Amino acid sequence: MVHRVGYAPGVYDLFHVGHLNILRHARSQCDYLVAGVVSDEMAALAKGHKPVIPLPERLEIVRSVRYVDAAFVETVPDKVETWQQVRFDVIFKGDDWRGTEKGERLERDFAEVGVEVVYFPYTVHTSSTQLRRALDTLVSPQPGALSAP
């Protein structure tokens, strides 16, 4: 019997239905799902800012999702280096990576070690970036608004 291990990396900041969908779909395509939760430092490198929710809390949220068998803190930018630690058979990414330079590099690198790359539809109507912008708008003073004395 083949035991297929899947890996679903992400920042998982401001956890939303898009995150849940990726984890649900990933789990349906493997026997054991490891969620890679990107460290605050790695997220800052990739996105230009630290997550709103600190790593220990994001890790606890992701570990608590019923589709996730294990959660792993991702601390290096090289996914193949992560693979050397976790040893998964398939990696799941949002389809916003498909056809991009980074997606093609990911596919090439993982083809060399026999790991399949599976893309899932990106949840366009909800994203952590959109939620973060909305929060920033709510807490930032608006032009012409009166400030409290």
Side-chain angles (χ1 to χ4, degrees), residues 10-20 47 49-53 58 122-136:
V11 177
Y12 298 108
D13 193 23
L14 301 171
F15 196 89
H16 56 77
V17 73
H19 296 135
L20 186 62
K47 298 187 178 264
H49 53 80
K50 284 191 171 186
V52 173
I53 308 298
R58 291 182 290 117
Y122 185 74
T123 306
V124 177
H125 63 278
T126 304
S127 76
S128 296
T129 301
Q130 290 172 334
L131 291 172
R132 187 181 186 111
R133 280 190 204 124
L135 287 172
D136 286 346

Side-chain angles (χ1 to χ4, degrees), residues 37-51:
V37 181
V38 176
S39 71
D40 292 348
E41 296 75 20
M42 289 300 305
L45 282 174
K47 298 187 178 264
H49 53 80
K50 284 191 171 186

Side-chain angles (χ1 to χ4, degrees), residues 7-10 34-39 42 72-88 91 106 110 113 115:
Y7 186 71
V34 178
V37 181
V38 176
S39 71
M42 289 300 305
F72 174 83
V73 176
E74 195 172 296
T75 59
V76 295
D78 182 358
K79 298 287 188 230
V80 174
E81 192 173 331
T82 298
W83 170 80
Q84 291 169 340
Q85 296 173 30
V86 179
R87 295 295 176 163
F88 44 86
I91 186 169
L106 188 76
F110 278 122
V113 294
V115 172

